[in-house]
Amino acid sequence: MNEPIKIDIWSDIACPWCYIGKRRLEAGLAETGVPVEIEYHSFELVPDMPVDYDGSHADFLSGHLGVTAEQVKEMNARVGGIAESVGLHYDFEHMHPANTVKAHQVLHLAKANGVQEAMKERLLAAYFLEGRNLADHAALANLAAEVGLDRDEVLRVLENDELVDAVRADQRLAARYGIRGVPFYVFAGKYGVSGAQESEVFAQVLRKVAEDG
């Protein structure tokens, strides 16, 4: 098979399993060597998250999930351990809960400029590893500039919500597909995979799609 396999991925920047899934997919790709074309699509796990949320990550999870502080600690330890297994060192203490609709707009701008994959990786690292506020326009513009986007253009897009319609279109498509959680992967427009599966699962799907042509 010479043509790259298209992989459409619905995910959120503030989704710990989406970053883990990204690393596992990358491992599956490295194992198979199958050429792919990846496109990220917007999905907001907490669309009603306030932009100015000023509590801690633990406070947010406790309130959002209705669990105790001790339960949050146990959840973070479990997810953090899995993240470590794929080389990611989540810093839960310094994570900054944020509404992600602005970050999704940056991803759409990055797609238009051919740097979406680099932008996705930079945003995930900024959120989970560096404790950056991804609702802050200046922070997003600085991160975007690191992958080659024009900082002033990013600020203009964010100030005017120029790409919010593209974000909503992704979300409507997710609803039509019946996607209720992320990460969610669609291979070649016909094979759906839900969740941060092990790399072997991704490798099996890639081989199957490649064999089918």
Side-chain angles (χ1 to χ4, degrees):
M1 181 176 180
N2 296 320
E3 289 297 316
I5 295 171
K6 178 69 182 299
I7 307 177
D8 292 283
I9 305 174
W10 274 263
S11 67
D12 197 2
I13 293 96
C15 164
W17 293 105
C18 292
Y19 207 0
I20 292 168
K22 185 175 186 295
R23 285 293 184 268
R24 288 176 170 176
L25 174 62
E26 290 165 352
L29 290 170
E31 179 182 335
T32 61
V34 174
V36 299
E37 175 192 345
I38 294 174
E39 180 176 348
Y40 286 100
H41 298 273
S42 302
F43 192 100
E44 290 180 88
L45 286 171
V46 190
D48 59 351
M49 163 74 78
V51 174
D52 59 350
Y53 187 87
D54 60 0
S56 69
H57 182 260
D59 292 337
F60 165 70
L61 285 181
S62 182
H64 181 64
L65 300 177
V67 297
T68 66
E70 186 59 32
Q71 288 173 313
V72 169
K73 185 177 180 180
E74 292 171 359
M75 287 167 49
N76 285 345
R78 180 174 68 88
V79 175
I82 295 171
E84 289 284 343
S85 74
V86 294
L88 298 172
H89 311 295
Y90 285 0
D91 185 356
F92 291 104
E93 184 178 350
H94 296 102
M95 282 183 195
H96 195 296
N99 187 297
T100 57
V101 70
K102 296 291 186 178
H104 282 296
Q105 290 185 63
V106 173
L107 280 172
H108 278 280
L109 181 62
K111 179 175 70 174
N113 286 273
V115 293
Q116 191 190 41
E117 289 188 61
M119 190 74 257
K120 182 71 170 185
E121 175 67 28
R122 189 65 192 93
L123 290 172
L124 288 167
Y127 184 82
F128 286 103
L129 313 182
E130 302 168 12
R132 307 283 282 273
N133 179 5
L134 298 189
D136 181 78
H137 291 191
L140 286 170
N142 290 338
L143 292 168
E146 291 182 26
V147 302
L149 294 180
D150 182 84
R151 191 177 186 279
D152 290 336
E153 183 182 13
V154 174
L155 288 172
R156 190 196 71 239
V157 166
L158 294 176
E159 289 295 335
N160 298 302
D161 277 332
E162 291 182 15
L163 292 173
V164 72
D165 287 346
V167 175
R168 301 306 179 213
D170 275 353
Q171 294 167 332
R172 288 192 296 271
L173 185 55
R176 288 201 295 272
Y177 280 172
I179 299 171
R180 295 182 174 84
V182 290
F184 193 93
Y185 310 80
V186 178
F187 292 78
K190 54 185 177 180
Y191 295 97
V193 176
S194 179
Q197 301 292 332
E198 295 291 344
S199 60
E200 293 82 2
V201 174
F202 289 123
Q204 289 170 8
V205 174
L206 286 163
R207 292 191 183 101
K208 171 65 174 172
V209 177
E211 289 168 4
D212 290 350

